[in-house]
């Protein structure tokens, strides 16, 4: 598969893409404009879990101690997310190097010590054994000049004879966001392709559990054109949000009134 060569730089710390010298929105950042009501229930659940075994501590706490405990409870979901993200990042990095070694682009990594990451990696290795796979790209940066966004897709491969654009997930469960995320990657890859091979490309998500269970493979069934249409609509909403923050609001976050 031949791709047009464009300059795409990624700053991991700020999670920002610069394409041909211009700042572009990231695919996952664009998806953040979607309302995710489940997050508030998950946040509340983590607060309860943090406090449920601290009844005696709460009874004897001073007002200052109680206030500090509540502050810790409010951040419980952040700590949980960071822990899961660390294990997932370690697993992703290992898989990236594993595929990269086969492609001759990266060297192999030593199996990490993080137990959750190891379980996710083993799930990947067992999943790979079940398929005939020809890896083409790993951690490929793509961008749409037309829509001014960029992203990094996990892999492009021929899997059991089918051209496939794929994403690895280590989340506890799959999300419908994957339909739109892969659509954004698909559109950018299609724009960069010199041969139009993306037309018949399937989109796949492979979930790599961190609890020792087998990998879950999901061939995305939603129509690619519809998913692309909705992704582009979210891109427009994201642009409007950025414009509003930059031009209508002051440093205090409030609307500026002339």
């Amino acid at each position: 598969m031949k791709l047009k060569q464009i300059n795409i730089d990624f700053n991991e710390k700020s999670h920002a893409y610069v394409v041909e010298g211009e700042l572009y929105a990231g695919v996952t950042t664009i998806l953040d404009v979607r309302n995710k009501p489940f997050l508030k229930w998950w946040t509340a659940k983590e607060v309860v879990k943090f406090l449920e075994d601290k009844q005696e501590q709460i009874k004897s706490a001073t007002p200052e101690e109680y206030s500090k405990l509540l502050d810790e409870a409010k951040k419980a979901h952040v700590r949980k997310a960071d822990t899961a993200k660390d294990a997932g990042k370690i697993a992703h990095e290992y898989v990236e190097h594993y595929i990269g070694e086969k492609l001759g682009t990266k060297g192999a990594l030593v199996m990490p010590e993080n137990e959750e990451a190891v379980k996710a990696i083993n799930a990947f290795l067992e999943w790979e054994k079940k398929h005939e796979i020809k890896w083409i790209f790993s951690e490929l940066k793509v961008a749409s000049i037309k829509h001014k966004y960029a992203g990094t897709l996990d892999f492009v491969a021929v899997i059991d004879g089918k051209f496939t654009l794929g994403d690895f997930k280590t989340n506890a469960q799959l999300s419908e966001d994957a339909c739109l995320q892969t659509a954004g990657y698909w559109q950018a890859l299609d724009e960069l392709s010199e041969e139009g091979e993306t037309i018949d490309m399937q989109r796949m998500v492979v979930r790599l559990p961190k609890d020792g269970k087998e990998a879950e493979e999901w061939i995305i069934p939603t129509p690619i054109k519809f998913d692309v249409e909705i992704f582009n609509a979210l891109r427009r909403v994201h642009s409007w949000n950025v414009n509003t923050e930059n031009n209508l609001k002051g440093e205090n976050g409030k609307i500026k009134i002339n």
Side-chain angles (χ1 to χ4, degrees), residues 10-23:
F10 176 65
N11 186 313
E12 187 171 357
K13 186 175 181 180
S14 61
H15 203 77
Y17 287 89
V18 176
V19 181
E20 299 292 344
E22 184 177 355
L23 184 64

Side-chain angles (χ1 to χ4, degrees), residues 7 26 30 52:
N7 294 318
I30 292 169
E52 62 185 356

